[in-house]
Amino acid sequence: MALPIIGSPIPHLPWQPRPSGNSDLVWRYSHNPVIGRRPLPGVTGIYNSAVVPFEGRFIGVFRTEGMDRMPHLHVGRSADGLAWTFELKPIALTCDDPEVTRHEYGYDPRVTPIEGTYYVTWCNGYHGPTIGVARTRDFVTFEQLENAFLPYNRNGVLFPRRINGKFAMLSRPSDTGHTPFGDIFYSDSPDLVYWGRHRHVMSRGGQWWQGTKIGAGPSPIETSEGWLLFYHGVMSTCNGFSYSMGAALLDLDQPWKVRARLNQSLLTPEAPYELSGLVPGVCFPVGCLCDAPTGRIAIYYGAADTVSALCFCEAEPLVQFILEHAM
Ligand code: BMA
């Protein structure tokens, strides 16, 4: 199967071929974690963060946490996507309306380039978690837009282009705490301010690894077979939640229609850095680089709510596998 991918070349993306003897569709970077503990003075960890190519290098928005354990968003830069330097201060969001920029906390940022502008969506504290939206062209000045939804909502993820003329976002309605439920919904907007036409995409349940809740991961990748969506699936164990990564293909023109949803997880907590940390047993995909001509994909994921790790896969065999092993 030849799999055209709509996207740009990123020939210098961080990459390691599949290790010999490994038959997994997704494999881990051998030098994980790429961002370890104490990456900045006073910061205990950086995880659940998003990376994009920028001016021949890489840039991203990163979730930091200090000794007060409050999460904030920082800009980070890298030549190779592996070694990072971070701004010491959190991103200063600007907006004419102070009600919009009142900051309680911000976490789990996604970054999505659309029509030459970079949009950041994140879990924004506004009387509870909701979806914050900001835009930048230079990663120096960030203009904050209206929160996309009423609280409570998490995992707001934009599509990288308009669909049927509208901006499009996946999100996961939730509660104020460690939500024991959650399904993925689709909404569209003519202007990134007013969101509506909400459509159900897919529900938790069925297999145990995604029995409790699910949430979109990085921005979907456009392929000839549909939007390739990586997402996290959560199961409840006697010790709490466990977070794995799965994948699905969504219809290109009506992305609330699921073309195929893989009947197993692709990455589940196994490595020491996924099993040890603030929240043991978490693989949380948030950022993704795809070299369109070759289909090589590097996924950034938070491990154990403590460090940032990388894993790799190839689009064509993955899409083929999803189509052949759909739920
Ligand atoms: C979710 C979010 C994520 C976190 C995960 C596991 O509710 O808070 O940021 O990685 O829980 O603790």
Side-chain angles (χ1 to χ4, degrees):
M1 182 182 83
L3 180 78
I5 296 170
I6 291 77
S8 305
I10 317 176
H12 58 308
L13 90 169
W15 180 256
Q16 267 182 344
R18 185 202 313 273
S20 62
N22 182 331
S23 59
D24 294 341
L25 282 159
V26 170
W27 57 96
R28 293 169 175 82
Y29 178 49
S30 62
H31 300 300
N32 272 343
V34 280
I35 305 167
R37 292 172 185 252
R38 293 285 182 162
L40 279 177
V43 169
T44 53
I46 290 182
Y47 57 95
N48 298 5
S49 301
V51 170
V52 287
F54 186 69
E55 296 178 347
R57 299 160 64 91
F58 299 97
I59 202 161
V61 177
F62 294 81
R63 168 184 178 157
T64 67
E65 253 173 57
M67 297 302 276
D68 60 3
R69 299 248 61 129
M70 293 298 289
H72 301 289
L73 306 179
H74 289 232
V75 170
R77 295 178 175 81
S78 173
D80 59 5
L82 299 169
W84 290 89
T85 54
F86 302 101
E87 295 283 342
L88 293 176
K89 289 194 177 153
I91 293 171
L93 298 159
T94 61
C95 177
D96 292 341
D97 185 341
E99 186 67 8
V100 174
T101 47
R102 66 190 288 284
H103 177 81
E104 295 170 10
Y105 53 78
Y107 64 79
D108 295 1
R110 275 74 166 181
V111 181
T112 310
I114 309 173
E115 299 165 10
T117 296
Y118 297 84
Y119 292 88
V120 187
T121 52
W122 69 97
C123 181
N124 187 40
Y126 182 78
H127 303 277
T130 184
I131 306 303
V133 185
R135 64 183 161 206
T136 184
R137 292 181 77 90
D138 57 9
F139 287 86
V140 176
T141 308
F142 289 81
E143 178 196 1
Q144 188 170 357
L145 310 178
E146 294 288 331
N147 290 314
F149 306 115
L150 288 169
Y152 311 109
N153 202 311
R154 291 182 170 95
N155 300 298
V157 178
L158 286 164
F159 284 75
R161 67 165 170 81
R162 293 180 203 235
I163 296 171
N164 306 316
K166 304 272 181 59
F167 295 97
M169 194 179 336
L170 300 171
S171 74
R172 214 277 305 284
S174 63
D175 67 10
T176 53
H178 302 295
T179 321
F181 62 88
D183 302 331
I184 298 177
F185 287 81
Y186 176 95
S187 310
D188 73 21
S189 169
D191 55 7
L192 288 153
V193 174
Y194 296 98
W195 292 89
R197 295 183 71 240
H198 313 294
R199 299 283 183 274
H200 172 263
V201 179
M202 46 187 201
S203 295
R204 63 199 181 274
Q207 300 177 333
W208 283 6
W209 72 271
Q210 53 182 340
T212 301
K213 53 181 172 174
I214 56 174
S219 297
I221 298 168
E222 186 169 6
T223 79
S224 55
E225 299 300 310
W227 293 102
L228 173 58
L229 174 70
F230 295 105
Y231 68 96
H232 65 261
V234 182
M235 75 182 281
S236 300
T237 74
C238 55
N239 284 330
F241 292 151
S242 171
Y243 283 67
S244 302
M245 180 178 81
L249 287 167
L250 310 181
D251 185 85
L252 284 175
D253 300 320
Q254 298 179 307
W256 55 92
K257 293 186 177 164
V258 179
R259 175 157 185 225
R261 178 175 175 185
L262 183 58
N263 67 1
Q264 55 198 269
S265 72
L266 288 166
L267 188 77
T268 194
E270 290 178 288
Y273 49 87
E274 298 160 356
L275 296 169
S276 164
L278 179 71
V279 184
V282 176
C283 296
F284 199 92
V286 164
C288 179
L289 299 168
C290 178
D291 179 40
T294 62
R296 294 178 302 156
I297 295 175
I299 302 168
Y300 291 83
Y301 66 100
D305 285 7
T306 302
V307 298
S308 294
L310 257 180
C311 61
F312 307 107
C313 63
E314 287 171 315
E316 189 173 323
L318 176 61
V319 165
Q320 185 77 47
F321 191 80
I322 297 170
L323 291 171
E324 288 169 2
H325 299 82
M327 281 173 74

